mmCIF file of all heavy atoms in Angstrom:
data_model
loop_
_atom_site.group_PDB
_atom_site.id
_atom_site.type_symbol
_atom_site.label_atom_id
_atom_site.label_comp_id
_atom_site.label_asym_id
_atom_site.label_seq_id
_atom_site.Cartn_x
_atom_site.Cartn_y
_atom_site.Cartn_z
ATOM 1 N N ILE B 152 10.021 -7.890 -15.032
ATOM 2 C CA ILE B 152 8.909 -7.593 -15.885
ATOM 3 C C ILE B 152 8.884 -6.022 -16.281
ATOM 4 O O ILE B 152 8.407 -5.694 -17.293
ATOM 5 C CB ILE B 152 7.567 -7.838 -15.115
ATOM 6 C CG1 ILE B 152 6.497 -8.073 -16.217
ATOM 7 C CG2 ILE B 152 7.095 -6.907 -14.115
ATOM 8 C CD1 ILE B 152 5.216 -8.670 -15.666
ATOM 9 N N GLY B 153 9.550 -5.242 -15.394
ATOM 10 C CA GLY B 153 9.602 -3.866 -15.870
ATOM 11 C C GLY B 153 10.725 -3.626 -16.917
ATOM 12 O O GLY B 153 11.018 -2.462 -17.231
ATOM 13 N N LYS B 154 11.363 -4.678 -17.394
ATOM 14 C CA LYS B 154 12.442 -4.596 -18.391
ATOM 15 C C LYS B 154 13.416 -3.505 -17.998
ATOM 16 O O LYS B 154 13.766 -2.514 -18.762
ATOM 17 C CB LYS B 154 11.850 -4.227 -19.836
ATOM 18 C CG LYS B 154 10.816 -5.326 -20.347
ATOM 19 C CD LYS B 154 10.321 -4.865 -21.704
ATOM 20 C CE LYS B 154 9.326 -5.877 -22.143
ATOM 21 N NZ LYS B 154 8.506 -5.463 -23.254
ATOM 22 N N PRO B 155 14.095 -3.705 -16.901
ATOM 23 C CA PRO B 155 15.131 -2.843 -16.439
ATOM 24 C C PRO B 155 16.355 -2.895 -17.360
ATOM 25 O O PRO B 155 16.787 -4.053 -17.690
ATOM 26 C CB PRO B 155 15.477 -3.107 -14.912
ATOM 27 C CG PRO B 155 15.028 -4.621 -14.914
ATOM 28 C CD PRO B 155 13.990 -4.838 -15.845
ATOM 29 N N ASN B 156 17.097 -1.847 -17.564
ATOM 30 C CA ASN B 156 18.272 -1.904 -18.239
ATOM 31 C C ASN B 156 19.405 -2.338 -17.265
ATOM 32 O O ASN B 156 20.211 -3.174 -17.672
ATOM 33 C CB ASN B 156 18.715 -0.433 -18.731
ATOM 34 C CG ASN B 156 17.667 0.041 -19.650
ATOM 35 O OD1 ASN B 156 17.104 1.036 -19.389
ATOM 36 N ND2 ASN B 156 17.524 -0.625 -20.830
ATOM 37 N N LEU B 157 19.280 -1.975 -16.017
ATOM 38 C CA LEU B 157 20.150 -2.591 -14.939
ATOM 39 C C LEU B 157 19.418 -3.280 -13.835
ATOM 40 O O LEU B 157 18.453 -2.560 -13.351
ATOM 41 C CB LEU B 157 21.053 -1.414 -14.328
ATOM 42 C CG LEU B 157 21.829 -1.698 -13.152
ATOM 43 C CD1 LEU B 157 22.972 -2.695 -13.384
ATOM 44 C CD2 LEU B 157 22.363 -0.321 -12.637
ATOM 45 N N LEU B 158 19.705 -4.491 -13.535
ATOM 46 C CA LEU B 158 19.054 -5.139 -12.475
ATOM 47 C C LEU B 158 19.978 -5.434 -11.334
ATOM 48 O O LEU B 158 21.078 -5.784 -11.510
ATOM 49 C CB LEU B 158 18.626 -6.584 -13.052
ATOM 50 C CG LEU B 158 17.955 -7.532 -11.980
ATOM 51 C CD1 LEU B 158 16.590 -6.908 -11.511
ATOM 52 C CD2 LEU B 158 17.650 -8.919 -12.604
ATOM 53 N N ILE B 159 19.597 -4.800 -10.214
ATOM 54 C CA ILE B 159 20.323 -4.788 -8.972
ATOM 55 C C ILE B 159 19.860 -5.881 -7.967
ATOM 56 O O ILE B 159 18.573 -5.821 -7.725
ATOM 57 C CB ILE B 159 20.477 -3.403 -8.276
ATOM 58 C CG1 ILE B 159 21.157 -2.362 -9.241
ATOM 59 C CG2 ILE B 159 21.198 -3.604 -6.967
ATOM 60 C CD1 ILE B 159 21.213 -1.201 -8.706
ATOM 61 N N MET B 160 20.575 -6.816 -7.587
ATOM 62 C CA MET B 160 20.043 -7.844 -6.739
ATOM 63 C C MET B 160 20.861 -8.034 -5.518
ATOM 64 O O MET B 160 22.148 -8.098 -5.517
ATOM 65 C CB MET B 160 19.930 -9.168 -7.459
ATOM 66 C CG MET B 160 19.003 -9.218 -8.582
ATOM 67 S SD MET B 160 18.907 -10.852 -9.237
ATOM 68 C CE MET B 160 20.418 -10.907 -10.129
ATOM 69 N N ASP B 161 20.165 -8.156 -4.306
ATOM 70 C CA ASP B 161 20.929 -8.244 -3.049
ATOM 71 C C ASP B 161 20.693 -9.758 -2.598
ATOM 72 O O ASP B 161 19.528 -9.983 -2.108
ATOM 73 C CB ASP B 161 20.307 -7.230 -2.077
ATOM 74 C CG ASP B 161 21.195 -7.027 -0.916
ATOM 75 O OD1 ASP B 161 22.155 -7.789 -0.704
ATOM 76 O OD2 ASP B 161 20.990 -6.178 -0.065
ATOM 77 N N GLU B 162 21.650 -10.561 -2.549
ATOM 78 C CA GLU B 162 21.593 -11.939 -2.101
ATOM 79 C C GLU B 162 20.390 -12.722 -2.662
ATOM 80 O O GLU B 162 19.661 -13.177 -1.923
ATOM 81 C CB GLU B 162 21.509 -11.911 -0.490
ATOM 82 C CG GLU B 162 22.628 -11.235 0.178
ATOM 83 C CD GLU B 162 23.845 -11.896 0.382
ATOM 84 O OE1 GLU B 162 24.003 -13.063 -0.204
ATOM 85 O OE2 GLU B 162 24.787 -11.513 1.022
ATOM 86 N N PRO B 163 20.345 -12.913 -3.994
ATOM 87 C CA PRO B 163 19.143 -13.508 -4.489
ATOM 88 C C PRO B 163 19.110 -15.085 -4.290
ATOM 89 O O PRO B 163 17.986 -15.680 -4.347
ATOM 90 C CB PRO B 163 19.325 -13.359 -6.110
ATOM 91 C CG PRO B 163 20.829 -13.120 -6.275
ATOM 92 C CD PRO B 163 21.227 -12.372 -5.014
#
Side-chain angles (χ1 to χ4, degrees):
Chain B
I152 201 169
K154 297 179 183 167
N156 303 114
L157 170 65
L158 177 63
I159 297 180
M160 292 188 289
D161 196 351
E162 306 276 6

